[in-house]
Amino acid sequence: PMTALSAARCLPDGVVLRNLESAGDHAQCLELQRETWGRDFEELVAPAILGIANKLGGVAAGAFEGTTLVGFVLGFTGLSEGQPVHWSHMLAVEGSRRGRGLGRELKRYQRDQLLRLGVKTMYWTFDPLVVRNAALNLNRLGARPEEYVRDLYGSGEGSELHRGLGTDRFVVRWQLDADEPGRAPREVAAVACNTDPDDGAPVARPRGIEGDTVWVEVPCDIHAVLRADPRTAALWRASTRAALEHCLGRGYRAAAVDRLAGDRERWAYRMVRDGGQA
């Protein structure tokens, strides 16, 4: 069978990346899913499926500190138009270990496993409002959003994490044999969504945008906004949805997510089209 190789990799801080192999590994992964997405999370991946993934060209791998699982990545491989492609289904890092680049290392481990199998294309989804995920996917890895899907996983009303926000997602494509991106210079650009200077509420301004580069502002921490003011969180969803759909429909693509000049608390997607700075 098409089996992912299981060579372990040790990171400089002592964390070991390796495939999930034992019943104990699978049980820890199940618990980390609950810790990440909530005890009411209905889409848990069962241990039996975790065990099957690596046997059939998928990847179920973890980051371990000693024997403790502190992060994992899970995906499955199939065919699209006759070519092998991989769908990355889950990536999670335990809360206290976030911000250390562990998610990026797990994605690189996943990539290397797949390239050994001859798989060169990976897809996954993420919420466009979650800046830390956007920064990893676009800025660090070089994945590119290909589609904006409204409420891909339903309304979210049955989930503590998504209630009041919905489950809009970018579908991104990562070309695994391409170089990871460098940092492009930021430049003055048109604005398709930003906060109102009078009351700070997000406002979509897609009409009449021109030029090769457009900013679409997103909140620094959408879940903090959701906890503090669900109405404002819903406005962020509506305004960014309108702006991103407008831009994608007119040939722009999301090249990166950047801090807006002069304000470390404000972030925006840099949308470019042919002739713009990638």
Side-chain angles (χ1 to χ4, degrees):
M2 186 179 184
T3 303
L5 304 180
S6 57
R9 179 186 304 163
C10 186
L11 301 180
D13 62 0
V15 171
V16 173
L17 307 180
R18 63 170 175 80
N19 283 356
L20 302 178
E21 298 168 342
S22 68
D25 292 348
H26 299 156
Q28 287 195 75
C29 183
L30 193 66
E31 182 59 23
L32 185 51
Q33 291 176 58
R34 293 190 179 106
E35 290 178 6
T36 302
W37 290 291
R39 293 287 161 178
D40 62 347
F41 184 56
E42 297 178 349
E43 305 297 329
L44 293 169
V45 176
I49 303 301
L50 296 171
I52 290 169
N54 287 329
K55 297 181 183 299
L56 296 173
V59 175
F64 290 84
E65 289 186 349
T67 59
T68 301
L69 181 72
V70 296
F72 78 94
V73 65
L74 170 68
F76 304 92
T77 301
L79 294 176
S80 177
E81 299 181 351
Q83 298 298 316
V85 298
H86 186 82
W87 187 276
S88 189
H89 181 55
M90 286 179 168
L91 172 68
V93 173
E94 192 273 328
S96 67
R97 274 83 169 183
R98 292 173 189 161
R100 292 166 37 181
L102 193 50
R104 179 170 70 249
E105 294 301 332
L106 281 164
K107 295 301 289 185
R108 287 171 170 168
Y109 185 82
Q110 183 181 27
R111 174 195 63 193
D112 293 347
Q113 295 277 71
L114 294 168
L115 286 173
R116 293 188 187 102
L117 294 171
V119 180
K120 298 182 178 180
T121 304
M122 186 190 302
Y123 292 92
W124 67 90
T125 69
F126 77 93
D127 188 338
L129 288 178
V130 180
V131 165
R132 68 174 182 273
N133 290 347
L136 168 63
N137 297 333
L138 278 63
N139 301 0
R140 305 287 189 270
L141 300 176
R144 292 290 171 252
E146 292 201 333
E147 186 179 4
Y148 185 104
V149 182
R150 297 187 181 193
D151 285 335
L152 179 62
Y153 303 111
S155 68
E157 290 307 304
S159 165
E160 180 180 344
L161 187 64
H162 300 118
R163 189 175 298 117
L165 199 58
T167 61
D168 287 18
R169 295 291 185 268
F170 269 147
V171 178
V172 300
R173 180 179 187 269
W174 189 22
Q175 192 61 34
L176 302 180
D177 55 354
D179 292 335
E180 292 186 7
R183 297 298 291 140
R186 288 181 283 183
E187 57 191 72
V188 176
V191 176
C193 174
N194 69 340
T195 50
D196 189 293
D198 294 327
D199 62 10
V203 180
R205 311 177 192 275
R207 295 187 181 277
I209 60 171
E210 297 179 358
D212 295 322
T213 307
V214 174
W215 290 118
V216 175
E217 187 174 350
V218 287
C220 179
D221 185 343
I222 184 59
H223 291 112
V225 175
L226 182 62
R227 289 190 296 270
D229 186 354
R231 180 180 175 276
T232 297
L235 287 174
W236 272 115
R237 176 66 81 199
S239 59
T240 54
R241 174 191 282 177
L244 289 168
E245 287 184 338
H246 182 89
C247 290
L248 291 171
R250 284 155 181 78
Y252 292 87
R253 59 185 175 84
V257 62
D258 289 313
R259 288 186 176 94
L260 291 175
D263 193 338
R264 293 181 60 83
E265 297 304 315
R266 295 178 66 194
W267 289 76
Y269 285 102
R270 177 157 37 88
M271 310 293 293
V272 302
R273 59 183 176 186
D274 290 343
Q277 178 67 60

